[in-house]
Amino acid sequence: MPDESALNRYKKKVLERIEEITKALAYIAFGDYSHRTDPQTIQDDEFAEIFCGLDLLVDELIEARKLVDEQKRFILLRADIWKSATAGYDSENDLIQKLLDIVGPALAVARASYFRIHWTRNMASLDVQWRREALEKTVGLELPLAIFGSYIGKRLAKPRIDSGESGASAELRNVMARFGSASMLVMVNGPTEKPFGFFTFSDADPGRAWNENEETILSEMVNIVSTKIAQIKAEEVLRLANLRLEDDVHARTAELDAMNKELQKDIARRKKTEKDLRE
């Protein structure tokens, strides 16, 4: 005959385990992953496999939530970029500054900078920058174009201070060291063979990986800037052409007015001469 007390203890244990599993499933259903049962505490229990499965499920759900949160963050960032890009700007520097002010803190970089290329001087000047508050401002810095020479013709590059194999020249690594940048993402603005400039995003952490989402959102930003710069340049060319046309019209109108006045004077002189001859 079975031991009734032992049977009751087993039933109680089963009910307790079922209650724990029910609570665990309820927490999971409501997205609360903080209440977990350590499988190690019940490793000799026949329910251990179930709790191990729940523990693995929670790990997978946490990773899935991270991915969803990351995607949501980049969707919102993309919306901010497009919203800002459609506003009116007096110059390309104003546009670039606004976008760097958005992506710099959003991606938690140390500095987000724009180097404009001066092909006639073979130099690159740092014209626009967002930086963390405690960091030195480096706007106005000029570097030989040769420092970026290996990146011309490429869409992007990831130089690192600790690796000569990353494509970073010794000169660029020296500049990175000077300003405390251990990892950098460089992106070309404009035609890859003869760009307008370079965007650089730097971090003090040598392990900064620059993931695919970051590369994608920054590529979109650079494409927007390239398009808007072309638009701004075209509008400036059109504005100057209109000004020249207006100047030409004013000059021609003034010339015609002068000719008309001279003609009126000539007519008046002829009439006076004819009158004098009749008298």
Side-chain angles (χ1 to χ4, degrees):
M1 184 174 181
D3 185 345
E4 188 171 341
S5 61
L7 183 60
N8 288 335
R9 286 196 301 273
Y10 179 73
K11 287 181 178 179
K12 182 180 178 182
K13 177 183 175 182
V14 169
L15 291 173
E16 288 174 351
R17 291 301 190 215
I18 291 174
E19 184 178 357
E20 288 180 37
I21 292 171
T22 303
K23 286 181 178 179
L25 290 172
Y27 285 128
I28 291 172
F30 284 100
D32 182 354
Y33 307 138
S34 60
H35 297 79
R36 304 174 66 166
T37 301
D38 185 358
Q40 296 297 324
T41 63
I42 52 173
Q43 57 184 353
D44 297 328
D45 194 299
E46 57 266 41
F47 288 90
E49 187 175 345
I50 295 176
F51 283 103
C52 284
L54 288 174
D55 198 56
L56 290 174
L57 174 62
V58 169
D59 286 338
E60 291 175 0
L61 289 172
I62 288 173
E63 288 303 312
R65 174 181 280 183
K66 288 179 181 178
L67 290 175
V68 170
D69 289 345
E70 182 80 352
Q71 290 297 327
K72 182 179 178 180
R73 183 168 72 92
F74 279 99
I75 288 171
L76 293 174
L77 178 57
R78 180 177 287 109
D80 282 345
I81 290 172
W82 278 100
K83 180 180 178 181
S84 297
T86 54
Y89 297 94
D90 294 332
S91 70
E92 55 191 75
N93 278 5
D94 291 340
L95 166 65
I96 293 171
Q97 184 68 68
K98 180 62 177 178
L99 295 181
L100 293 186
D101 288 347
I102 292 173
V103 301
L107 300 183
V109 299
R111 288 185 177 89
S113 309
Y114 181 63
F115 286 86
R116 191 181 311 280
I117 295 177
H118 305 279
W119 288 99
T120 56
R121 296 191 291 120
N122 285 322
M123 297 292 288
S125 62
L126 203 170
D127 287 3
V128 189
Q129 184 178 74
W130 174 90
R131 72 191 191 287
R132 291 179 187 166
E133 189 172 344
L135 297 179
E136 175 188 357
K137 184 177 181 179
T138 54
V139 169
L141 174 71
E142 286 205 341
L143 299 173
L145 184 56
I147 287 181
F148 296 101
S150 62
Y151 307 135
I152 294 174
K154 299 179 180 179
R155 185 179 68 85
L156 63 84
K158 302 176 184 179
R160 292 166 56 90
I161 197 170
D162 59 356
S163 174
E165 299 176 359
S166 64
S169 64
E171 293 83 359
L172 180 56
R173 292 202 301 275
N174 288 337
V175 172
M176 292 171 68
R178 174 183 169 189
F179 295 108
S181 298
S183 176
M184 185 180 287
L185 180 65
V186 179
M187 308 194 83
V188 170
N189 176 37
T192 55
E193 297 304 325
K194 193 169 183 179
F196 309 133
F198 294 99
F199 283 93
T200 65
F201 306 91
S202 60
D203 200 287
D205 179 9
R208 180 72 184 251
W210 308 108
N211 62 48
E212 184 177 351
N213 283 332
E214 291 173 328
E215 291 180 18
T216 299
I217 199 72
L218 291 174
S219 292
E220 288 184 18
M221 187 206 74
V222 172
N223 289 337
I224 290 171
V225 170
S226 297
T227 302
K228 293 292 287 186
I229 286 177
Q231 179 183 339
I232 290 171
K233 289 182 181 296
E235 289 174 350
E236 181 64 12
V237 169
L238 181 60
R239 186 184 70 82
L240 293 175
N242 286 334
L243 287 176
R244 284 195 296 269
L245 180 59
E246 288 179 10
D247 290 341
D248 290 345
V249 169
H250 289 317
R252 185 57 178 164
T253 300
E255 183 181 343
L256 290 174
D257 284 343
M259 291 175 63
N260 185 54
K261 289 178 181 178
E262 190 61 34
L263 180 61
Q264 292 299 324
K265 290 179 181 179
D266 187 51
I267 292 172
R269 284 194 297 268
R270 287 173 181 249
K271 286 183 177 180
K272 184 177 183 303
T273 300
E274 290 174 358
K275 180 180 178 183
D276 291 342
L277 289 174
R278 284 195 299 268
E279 295 177 351

